[in-house]
Amino acid sequence: MLEPIVVKAKPLKAQYVRLDHIFDFYTEGELDLTIRDIGAMGAKPFISISDVNPPSDWGVWEGKVQSLVQHISGKNGLNITDVYYEVWNEPDLFGGYKIGGNPSYLDLYAHTVAAASRATNVNPFKIGGPATTALYKNWFDGLLKFASNAKLRLDFFSWHRYSKDLGVFEKDVADVKGWLAAYPDYSGAELLITEMGPNSENDPVYDNGFGAIHAIATNTVLEGKVTRAFNFELKDGPGEKQDWGRWGLFTHEKFGEPVAKPRVSAFTFLNQMLGARINVAGEGSWVKAFGKKSGDLVKLLVVNYDINGTHTEAVPMKFINLKYSQNKIYKNFTFKRTDYGGAKRETLIATDSAEWSTLEFFKPNTAAIFEIVPTSQ
């Protein structure tokens, strides 16, 4: 499925590509080819260990899981390091699992972790779950209590989130971090959103610019707050026409050479924000931001996101403690603005202060990266 977009997807610089329904969508050969394509993109596989139906025989299930881990992570297998293994995909939907009841997700988790732990001669890997359709406290508490009492590995806690409301994403993170405080044994567990987007159903926004600005905005509010976030999905399935509101970043090859949708440019835009995270304060209901610093270069990404597409913002910005790595105050610097969509502006600034302010205007659903580039000391 991924081979037609390998070259086109490589500039996205994905670190991981998630695959689900491993046991009902793929033969071993097909899975290996897909993992090969993921590697050709420069990424590693994230494996959601799932099937179309709950296991009917735990012995058979454990054997399949152990073989899978040994094949992908095994030093005599595909020999891939740091693979993630997620126990099932949306268990509250696929398979009708319950956190308490029958079929029991807790039983599934225990048997899957036991099987993965028996894999021999393997590279380091991570295992966790539950990848529910949204964030649910009863699932969080049920899994964390069970894992703690049974002393089971739980390297990460995962969930899915689809919404056009940024506040929902922000609330999820605040909630799960608050809940995690009650489980000190798992204080180091990674937090992963393993599917996300504006809508879990087909939606025209996946084919237009709103989907792109949503990707920029959601990744901005999640930056530094979760370990990984997976935007769903890489490529459309085959439909009756090329653009049909499907979730893919690229169209399906059924209609010719796959075409990159606007969200692709959103991720290449986000990929400019490299460096160490720096503090940003003063975000509002519409305006969200995060900052990075690399050497003496300071970058700030600002997005004005509005579901209704009507809110224009004049954004005051104050940069403080503007100093070189040698701890000397900036004297002259170039202030650059690069808008999502291509417009650029540069201004030479002269100052003797370690603080500098400006006012920048944003139309609805626009984003820009601002850079402070020292030119002299």
Side-chain angles (χ1 to χ4, degrees), residues 37 48 50 57 137 167 310 357:
D37 291 338
S48 181
S50 50
D57 184 312
K137 191 174 191 303
T310 60
S357 300

Side-chain angles (χ1 to χ4, degrees), residues 241-254:
K241 57 182 180 178
Q242 181 170 277
D243 294 323
W244 57 301
R246 202 65 169 174
W247 309 288
L249 297 181
F250 297 90
T251 60
H252 194 272
E253 65 274 12
K254 175 182 176 181

Side-chain angles (χ1 to χ4, degrees), residues 28-316:
E28 182 175 301
E30 291 168 340
L31 181 61
D32 285 359
L33 289 174
T34 303
I35 290 174
R36 179 204 65 185
D37 291 338
I38 290 171
M41 295 177 195
K44 293 185 178 184
F46 182 109
I47 304 296
S48 181
I49 307 174
S50 50
D51 205 330
V52 67
N53 293 311
S56 57
D57 184 312
W58 288 124
V60 172
W61 174 256
E62 290 192 18
K64 290 168 65 175
V65 171
Q66 183 177 345
S67 295
L68 178 76
V69 175
Q70 287 182 175
H71 179 63
I72 297 174
S73 296
K75 296 178 182 178
N76 295 324
L78 300 184
N79 196 28
I80 304 173
T81 61
D82 303 316
V83 175
Y84 285 77
Y85 295 97
E86 187 176 44
V87 180
W88 215 258
N89 172 64
E90 298 190 338
D92 52 322
L93 177 62
F94 297 106
Y97 282 100
K98 299 173 178 61
I99 199 65
N102 189 44
S104 169
Y105 179 78
L106 301 179
D107 287 345
L108 174 70
Y109 189 81
H111 284 284
T112 306
V113 170
S117 299
R118 285 198 298 271
T120 58
N121 196 30
V122 295
N123 293 296
F125 65 86
K126 296 179 182 180
I127 192 164
T132 44
T133 54
L135 179 65
Y136 302 115
K137 191 174 191 303
N138 64 321
W139 276 78
F140 180 89
D141 286 329
L143 179 56
L144 269 289
K145 287 178 182 177
F146 177 77
S148 181
N149 290 337
K151 301 189 183 307
L152 296 177
R153 278 183 67 177
L154 194 149
D155 301 316
F156 62 86
F157 183 87
S158 62
W159 70 96
H160 296 174
R161 175 57 70 190
Y162 291 90
S163 178
K164 294 175 184 175
D165 182 356
L166 296 186
V168 175
F169 291 87
E170 294 176 303
K171 185 178 185 300
D172 279 351
V173 174
D175 284 347
V176 75
K177 287 189 174 183
W179 304 340
L180 194 59
Y183 301 94
D185 289 346
Y186 298 101
S187 60
E190 296 182 4
L191 301 179
L192 310 180
I193 305 178
T194 52
E195 282 188 24
M196 59 185 265
N199 194 342
S200 60
E201 303 295 330
N202 287 2
D203 192 318
V205 300
Y206 285 108
D207 298 325
N208 63 37
F210 183 86
I213 205 70
H214 179 275
I216 293 172
T218 50
N219 282 278
T220 295
V221 299
L222 295 172
E223 169 67 28
K225 298 174 184 175
V226 297
T227 309
R228 299 189 186 280
F230 290 78
N231 287 259
F232 192 74
E233 63 180 332
L234 261 179
K235 194 189 76 175
D236 286 346
E240 294 182 358
K241 57 182 180 178
Q242 181 170 277
D243 294 323
W244 57 301
R246 202 65 169 174
W247 309 288
L249 297 181
F250 297 90
T251 60
H252 194 272
E253 65 274 12
K254 175 182 176 181
F255 303 98
E257 186 74 15
V259 176
K261 299 185 191 180
R263 280 197 299 167
V264 171
S265 62
F267 290 112
T268 56
F269 184 74
L270 285 162
N271 282 343
Q272 299 177 64
M273 292 295 292
L274 301 177
R277 186 174 174 83
I278 57 177
N279 291 331
V280 173
E283 295 170 284
S285 300
W286 291 276
V287 175
K288 306 296 181 181
F290 71 97
K292 294 291 184 75
K293 186 174 183 181
S294 179
D296 291 326
L297 174 64
V298 175
K299 288 190 175 185
L300 177 71
L301 187 150
V302 179
V303 56
N304 179 29
Y305 175 83
D306 179 13
I307 296 174
N308 298 315
T310 60
H311 191 80
T312 298
E313 279 278 356
V315 181

